[in-house]
Amino acid sequence: MMNRIKAYAVTFLLSLLTIPTTANAANATTLAQQVKQVANWFTGFFDNSQQVTQKPTVPLISITSCSIQLDSVNNSENIYFEQESSFFERLRLYSFSQGNEAVNLSIRSFLDPNAVRGLCGKPQSMRIIPTSNLPITSCNLNLFLQPDKYYIGSNSPDGCPAGSSRVVSSITVRRDSILSLDQIFNSEGVLLANTPIEFRRVSVPEPSPMLAIIGVGIWGATTAISRQLKYLSQKDSV
């Protein structure tokens, strides 16, 4: 009986191993491919719980992000970015486009955050942001693909204004992690905050047809194994 169960389990696992991975860094040779790749790497659910376990003084922060459309045509990959902790909430639009020699990342806030909060919980067809809800100004930095197949970017030394303060951002993006450092300076140039945050992916990117197939496969395999267990149990009891 146990051998038959193992056979079902091994067959199911082998079927998963045949599924191709996406967003392979080695294939992102052109800027257009890099734009799509880094936008994909920013999409999904992340948190820094692993970092908090090692450093309890660091606040726990979660990220929910998903692809969206604007109500006007543009040449960017647009990602809605929702960052939450017990201390703050940060809602942003991340737009990735081709720069001269790197991927340009443009970050904008929302004039009415309430109109977009929870956007990733809606169907893809309803994830539309009107440009009238976006300010004219944005915070920009360039992301450069490295030989080891990850991206780095920084807007040092100028950074971006944040009220009376100035924020200088540095970021390292890998397939399943985002290392972010926001250095906050006051109007006199005194450094007020300087804590790197290490985000790790806690789920796969947005649902896709392939993931749906995986879900159906898991359900089917679980049902088949359950039925086989019941059948064998009844057979053994006879």
Side-chain angles (χ1 to χ4, degrees), residues 4-230:
R4 294 183 187 181
I5 296 172
K6 290 179 181 178
Y8 275 96
V10 169
T11 302
F12 171 60
L13 291 174
L14 287 176
S15 69
L16 288 183
L17 293 176
T18 63
I19 297 171
T21 57
T22 58
N24 190 335
N27 296 329
T29 56
T30 68
L31 270 178
Q33 291 171 332
Q34 291 174 28
V35 167
K36 290 184 177 297
Q37 181 181 70
V38 73
N40 178 270
W41 287 1
F42 260 90
T43 303
F45 303 94
F46 303 80
D47 69 25
N48 66 328
S49 56
Q50 184 176 334
Q51 180 188 22
V52 171
T53 299
Q54 299 171 351
K55 300 178 181 179
T57 56
V58 176
L60 178 64
I61 305 172
S62 65
I63 293 174
T64 302
S65 57
C66 57
S67 62
I68 62 93
Q69 298 294 324
L70 299 180
D71 64 353
S72 62
V73 177
N74 70 354
N75 296 320
S76 300
E77 294 286 332
N78 298 296
I79 304 296
Y80 170 71
F81 194 88
E82 193 167 295
Q83 196 176 74
E84 291 183 298
S85 79
S86 57
F87 302 101
F88 68 91
E89 177 187 63
R90 184 171 176 262
L91 311 181
R92 296 291 186 269
L93 175 67
Y94 279 41
S95 297
F96 301 86
S97 60
Q98 295 184 49
N100 292 329
E101 298 179 353
V103 176
N104 180 63
L105 170 56
S106 173
I107 304 172
R108 284 180 284 181
S109 58
F110 299 99
L111 300 177
D112 180 10
N114 292 324
V116 296
R117 185 177 287 106
L119 193 61
C120 291
K122 297 182 179 180
Q124 179 71 48
S125 60
M126 297 179 63
R127 297 178 196 164
I128 301 175
I129 294 178
T131 52
S132 59
N133 195 17
L134 298 172
I136 298 175
T137 59
S138 64
C139 184
N140 302 317
L141 57 83
N142 288 322
L143 296 170
F144 294 89
L145 179 61
Q146 302 303 294
D148 291 339
K149 309 306 178 185
Y150 64 92
Y151 296 85
I152 60 171
S154 175
N155 56 11
S156 177
D158 297 329
C160 293
S164 60
S165 304
R166 177 171 57 91
V167 180
V168 176
S169 300
S170 300
I171 191 168
T172 300
V173 186
R174 290 183 169 85
R175 183 175 190 155
D176 292 311
S177 67
I178 301 172
L179 175 61
S180 175
L181 173 61
D182 289 333
Q183 296 177 299
I184 304 176
F185 299 86
N186 65 13
S187 57
E188 284 80 38
V190 178
L191 182 62
L192 303 177
N194 186 38
T195 302
I197 303 297
E198 302 170 9
F199 294 104
R200 304 285 180 181
R201 187 181 298 281
V202 293
S203 80
V204 294
E206 290 182 275
S208 65
M210 180 58 70
L211 293 179
I213 292 172
I214 294 175
V216 172
I218 292 173
W219 176 83
T222 303
T223 302
I225 292 172
S226 176
R227 288 176 179 174
Q228 185 67 9
L229 280 171
K230 183 177 180 181

